Amino acid sequence: MALTIKLAKDKTTPGTVRFSEVGQEDHPINIYLSKARVKELGDPEAITMTIEKA
């Protein structure tokens, strides 16, 4: 079983880009990626993250 979450670009800092969970107001998941990683992905406005148990 896996959990898939959509995250939208929320804030850009000098070295990172923050993506925040879409549709979650109370306690959204936030992911910080380096600007280089975001560039590798083609500078998207949104990303999808899949979480699976190890």
Side-chain angles (χ1 to χ4, degrees):
M1 180 178 220
L3 177 63
T4 301
I5 301 167
K6 183 173 182 179
L7 301 116
K9 191 182 285 186
D10 185 39
K11 182 178 180 181
T12 301
T13 64
T16 63
V17 178
R18 180 175 73 191
F19 288 86
S20 187
E21 185 176 9
V22 174
Q24 183 59 264
E25 300 290 324
D26 293 335
H27 300 288
I29 292 174
N30 294 302
I31 301 295
Y32 291 83
L33 296 177
S34 69
K35 286 186 174 180
R37 293 288 184 173
V38 174
K39 187 177 179 180
E40 286 178 30
L41 293 171
D43 197 24
E45 290 299 313
I47 59 174
T48 302
M49 179 176 68
T50 302
I51 302 171
E52 296 179 357
K53 68 179 183 174

